[in-house]
């Protein structure tokens, strides 16, 4: 005869596996520092690409003004200004990415811990029989 409590527990575990199981298993393959560091690095690379696209769009949009003021502009100061904006953007992306991926990893660990606790409960239920 089926035990109702065991069926409920197995249903919860199956729902977890279908919903977050594969994603969490992939995240659990990494240590916390490796997972967060790898994703922060990916964010920095994507932020660099976005910054290059933004600068290119700005230069194309104001191309006439850029060409007219090319000889009158202090190129070193302009380069420093673009570099400062780049550094600010990269730091902001890195900090936000660190917070987001640290939170996701800790949330995954809590969910996985609950799943393993349910496995232990289910094992004890089978041992009682």
């Amino acid at each position: 005869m089926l035990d109702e409590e065991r069926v409920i527990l197995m249903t919860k575990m199956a729902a977890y596996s279908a919903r977050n199981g594969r994603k969490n298993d992939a995240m659990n393959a990494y240590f916390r520092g490796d997972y967060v560091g790898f994703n922060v690095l990916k964010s920095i690379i994507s932020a660099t690409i976005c910054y290059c696209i933004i600068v290119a769009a700005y230069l194309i949009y104001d191309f006439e003004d850029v060409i007219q003021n090319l000889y009158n502009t202090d190129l070193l100061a302009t380069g420093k200004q673009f570099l400062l904006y780049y550094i600010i953007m990269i730091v902001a992306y890195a900090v936000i990415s660190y917070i987001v991926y640290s939170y996701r990893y800790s949330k995954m660990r809590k969910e996985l811990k609950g799943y393993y606790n349910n496995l232990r409960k289910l094992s004890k239920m089978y041992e009682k029989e």
Side-chain angles (χ1 to χ4, degrees), residues 7 11 19 22 25 28-29 31 46 71 77 83 98 129:
V7 171
T11 305
R19 187 180 62 242
R22 291 184 187 187
D25 285 341
N28 196 36
F31 290 111
S46 63
Y71 295 110
L83 183 64
Y98 180 82
E129 280 187 6

Side-chain angles (χ1 to χ4, degrees), residues 39 41 48 82 127:
N39 284 302
L41 182 63
T48 300
F82 279 121
E127 287 176 4

Side-chain angles (χ1 to χ4, degrees), residues 29-108:
Y30 295 101
F31 290 111
R32 181 184 177 275
D34 294 339
Y35 175 75
V36 172
F38 178 67
N39 284 302
V40 167
L41 182 63
K42 287 191 321 187
S43 295
I44 289 173
I45 291 170
S46 63
T48 300
I49 292 169
C50 288
Y51 184 77
C52 290
I53 291 171
I54 290 169
V55 168
Y58 170 74
L59 291 176
I60 291 171
Y61 180 72
D62 282 341
F63 190 70
E64 185 178 340
D65 291 337
V66 170
I67 294 297
Q68 285 178 354
N69 297 328
L70 185 64
Y71 295 110
N72 299 335
T73 306
D74 183 15
L75 295 178
L76 189 59
T78 305
K80 286 181 182 179
Q81 184 180 15
F82 279 121
L83 183 64
L84 177 67
Y85 292 149
Y86 172 73
I87 290 172
I88 290 170
M89 184 175 169
I90 292 297
V91 168
Y93 260 73
V95 168
I96 291 169
S97 296
Y98 180 82
I99 292 169
V100 167
Y101 288 111
S102 293
Y103 173 74
R104 285 184 186 174
Y105 192 83
S106 64
K107 182 180 171 187
M108 178 273 307

Side-chain angles (χ1 to χ4, degrees), residues 116-129:
Y116 287 137
N117 285 338
N118 287 340
L119 275 177
R120 276 190 228 108
K121 287 179 188 177
L122 187 61
S123 177
K124 287 179 185 178
M125 287 179 187
Y126 277 113
E127 287 176 4
K128 285 181 181 180
E129 280 187 6

